[in-house]
Amino acid sequence: MTLTRVLALPRRPRRRLVTPTSALISLGVLAAAVVVWQLAVWIFRIPSFILPAPSDIALQADWGTALSALAQTALSTAAGFVAGNIVGYVGALLISSSRTVSSIIFPGALVLRSIPVVALAPFITLAFGRGPAATVVVAALIVFFPTLINSLQGLNSVSAESMELMKVLNASRLQSYARVRIPASLPSFFSALRIAAPNAVLGVMTAEWIVGGGLGHLVITSWLALQMQTMWSAVVLSAILAAALFSIVAVLERTAITWARTT
C-alpha cells in the first residue's frame, strides 16, 4: 500500500472512457444539429453569405487551405498549451512553498491576467515578431492563470492531519510535496487543463487575426472575400481542434489519476 493511499486520497472505480451508448448519443446529437442547420437554411432561404448550408460548406469550401491552416493552428495551440500550463503549475508550486515568493509572483500574475490579450498583442508582436512564436505566447498567457489558481487550490487542499503525519514520518519538505501535495493537486490541475483546452485554441486564433497565419487569419481573409463556405470550414475545424484537445486531456486525466473521484 502506497503512502498516497494511506493519506486517504480517494480511489475511484475504473470506468470505460467511452461507452457505446454515450458515443451513439453524442453522434446522434451532432447529426441532428447538422440536419436542423441544413433544413433551416433551406426552409428559411437563408443567403449563403449569411449562413451557408452544411452541404455547401462540405462541397464548396477550400479544404486544402483550411487543413493547411489547421496544421499551423494546431502546432501553435499545442506549444502554447504545454508552455502555459507548465508555467502555471510551476508558479503554483513556488507560491505554495513560500509567502515571500507568493507576494512576488501572485500580484504580477493577477495584473497580467487583468490586461486584455488584444492590448498586449502589439508588445508581443514587437518582442516575438509576426509569426508562430507570437501566437504561442498568446495561448500560453491565456491558459497559465487558470492553471495557476486551480493548482494552487489543490496544493493547499491537503488536510492538516496528512501534513502532521508527514512530520511524524520525518519527511522532508520535498518529500511532503512529492508524496502528498502534488498528488492532491492533480485533480484540480486536470480540471484547469480541461478549461484551458478550448481557451488555448481561442487564444491562438485571436493572435492569428493580428499576426496572420492559421485558422484565425483564414476566418478573416475568407470573410472579407465573401468566401463564407471557407470561413465556416475554418470555424468547424477550430471546434474539432478544441474538442480533440479536450478529449486528450480527459484521457490523460483518467489514466494518470485513477484514484480520484470525478463527477
Side-chain angles (χ1 to χ4, degrees), residues 206-249:
T206 300
E208 288 172 344
W209 293 347
I210 301 170
V211 303
L215 293 174
H217 184 67
L218 181 60
V219 168
I220 295 298
T221 55
S222 57
W223 173 65
L224 292 174
L226 295 180
Q227 298 172 350
M228 306 307 293
Q229 292 82 3
T230 300
M231 186 200 80
W232 276 96
S233 71
V235 172
V236 170
L237 290 177
S238 67
I240 293 174
L241 176 60
L245 186 56
F246 183 93
S247 299
I248 291 171
V249 170

Side-chain angles (χ1 to χ4, degrees), residues 117-249:
V117 174
V118 175
L120 292 173
F123 302 99
I124 294 173
T125 302
L126 288 174
F128 297 95
R130 298 179 63 87
T135 61
V136 170
V137 171
V138 170
L141 286 175
I142 287 179
V143 306
F144 100 95
F145 194 76
T147 300
L148 174 71
I149 297 300
N150 281 273
S151 300
L152 184 60
Q153 181 180 6
L155 290 167
N156 293 333
S157 67
V158 178
S159 65
E161 292 80 4
S162 297
M163 297 309 299
E164 286 297 327
L165 177 58
M166 295 303 293
K167 290 181 180 179
V168 170
L169 295 174
N170 227 9
S172 66
R173 190 180 185 88
L174 182 60
Q175 289 174 324
S176 297
Y177 267 84
R179 296 297 185 90
V180 181
R181 288 192 180 275
I182 291 178
S185 71
L186 290 181
S188 297
F189 174 65
F190 277 101
S191 295
L193 294 187
R194 291 199 304 269
I195 296 171
N199 286 344
V201 178
L202 177 61
V204 167
M205 291 188 66
T206 300
E208 288 172 344
W209 293 347
I210 301 170
V211 303
L215 293 174
H217 184 67
L218 181 60
V219 168
I220 295 298
T221 55
S222 57
W223 173 65
L224 292 174
L226 295 180
Q227 298 172 350
M228 306 307 293
Q229 292 82 3
T230 300
M231 186 200 80
W232 276 96
S233 71
V235 172
V236 170
L237 290 177
S238 67
I240 293 174
L241 176 60
L245 186 56
F246 183 93
S247 299
I248 291 171
V249 170

Side-chain angles (χ1 to χ4, degrees), residues 63-80:
W63 287 103
T65 301
L67 291 173
S68 177
L70 172 64
Q72 182 175 341
T73 300
L75 289 174
S76 297
T77 299

